[in-house]
Amino acid sequence: MTPSAQRFTGCLLGLALGDALGAPHEGGPLERFVWRLIGRTRDGHARWTDDTQMSLALAESLIAHGALQPDDLAARFARSYRWSRGYGPGTARVLRRIRRGSPWHQASHAVYPSGSYGNGGAMRAPVVGLFFAPDPTDVIQAAQASARVTHAHPLAVEGAVLMALATAAALSTPAPLDLFDQAASSCLEAPFTQRLELARRWLATDAHPEPAEVRQHLGHGLAAAESCVTALYVALRFLRRPLPETLAFVASLRGDVDTLGAMSGAIWGAANGASALP
């Protein structure tokens, strides 16, 4: 396997592993109980969630067209929707509307008039970072377009751009702070810039805040602003550590563990490659 293929494969497997291994720790007692019932395939394998499913659909669309085609992407998202993947209720409603024939831009705003500000656009954005990596401008534009199919709020779009740029930067394995700065270069919204400032300070001073402090100051929720910076920080804090240590820290954060795991796992995998996976 070539070095590039190692990193691409590492990114996609890191995303899927972070997703599947994080899902059993997701949410509160009720959510964890439900996942114990549906979180295994018939042959006993750990089930991935909507994070991996939508990432696969995005990858397939990009490969088929050689470009970001929102209409095709929306159709693929709708066709591959399965409730058992653990889709968020808002995204599920958007995809069911698209499946019934609504244009994606109408379906998205019918559910959320201002667009969803969740992290659903960000969780699949590492695929955009891989595909458009040579040109940061292309990465940004494609990340924005891919997010808006289901998550059109400016905060959701900014989260997608952050994850896509982080993944593209990770392919060349710069020093963690250089990677951080490349990823954060396009962030303008205060909910992101304030968290990014703190996360960078932690990384620059080699601080090791406990999970409770990371939860409090960076977040661990479903909103893009409360999860994307967290995922970037965790990925870079553990960039030279084994992936299981990265995902164990993610699990200790609680909250939206599968998506935090998917995003941090993708960045870690892009930087370290498939051969570094357990």
Side-chain angles (χ1 to χ4, degrees):
M1 191 180 291
T2 66
S4 294
Q6 278 276 352
R7 294 179 184 278
F8 275 57
T9 304
C11 177
L12 296 174
L13 287 175
L15 188 156
L17 286 167
D19 175 22
L21 296 177
H25 305 281
E26 172 83 9
L30 179 59
E31 290 88 348
R32 292 195 295 272
F33 174 75
V34 171
W35 197 252
R36 282 200 296 271
L37 298 178
I38 67 172
R40 290 276 171 182
T41 63
R42 291 181 178 179
D43 52 0
H45 289 240
R47 186 186 299 277
W48 67 61
T49 78
D50 57 320
D51 300 51
T52 303
Q53 187 62 58
M54 298 185 86
S55 296
L56 290 172
L58 174 55
E60 291 165 352
S61 181
L62 289 169
I63 291 167
H65 294 278
L68 199 291
Q69 295 284 351
D71 291 343
D72 177 76
L73 185 58
R76 290 175 187 269
F77 285 160
R79 283 199 305 270
S80 62
Y81 166 75
R82 302 291 184 276
W83 72 268
S84 58
R85 293 287 185 200
Y87 286 75
T91 301
R93 290 164 60 195
V94 171
L95 296 182
R96 287 196 295 266
R97 283 176 175 267
I98 295 172
R99 186 181 281 181
R100 292 194 297 266
S102 294
W104 61 265
H105 48 85
Q106 293 180 8
S108 178
H109 287 281
V111 176
Y112 298 106
S114 299
S116 170
Y117 53 78
N119 54 25
M123 69 192 188
R124 59 187 187 250
V127 175
V128 172
L130 295 181
F131 196 86
F132 295 96
D135 189 331
T137 299
D138 288 346
V139 172
I140 292 170
Q141 292 175 348
Q144 292 170 337
S146 68
R148 290 183 180 124
V149 172
T150 54
H151 293 71
H153 193 281
L155 292 177
V157 173
E158 185 144 305
V161 171
L162 179 66
M163 288 296 101
L165 286 174
T167 305
L171 292 172
S172 60
T173 323
L177 283 178
D178 291 336
L179 194 162
F180 185 96
D181 290 341
Q182 290 179 47
S185 61
S186 69
C187 285
L188 301 173
E189 301 282 353
F192 282 90
T193 57
Q194 293 167 0
R195 289 176 168 87
L196 286 165
E197 181 180 357
L198 175 58
R200 194 187 193 284
R201 186 161 67 247
W202 282 344
L203 292 169
T205 59
D206 201 25
H208 293 90
E210 294 295 321
E213 189 173 1
V214 176
R215 279 198 304 270
Q216 178 183 357
H217 294 290
L218 299 186
H220 65 157
L222 296 168
E226 296 174 357
S227 54
C228 293
V229 177
T230 309
L232 176 62
Y233 166 73
V234 173
L236 298 186
R237 173 172 166 176
F238 290 90
L239 198 65
R240 300 295 175 249
R241 304 295 302 168
L243 181 63
E245 292 187 23
T246 310
L247 300 184
F249 189 87
V250 169
S252 72
L253 294 173
R254 303 195 299 271
D256 194 12
V257 181
D258 62 335
T259 300
L260 288 169
M263 294 190 292
S264 59
I267 297 168
W268 189 99
N272 291 287
S275 62
L277 292 169

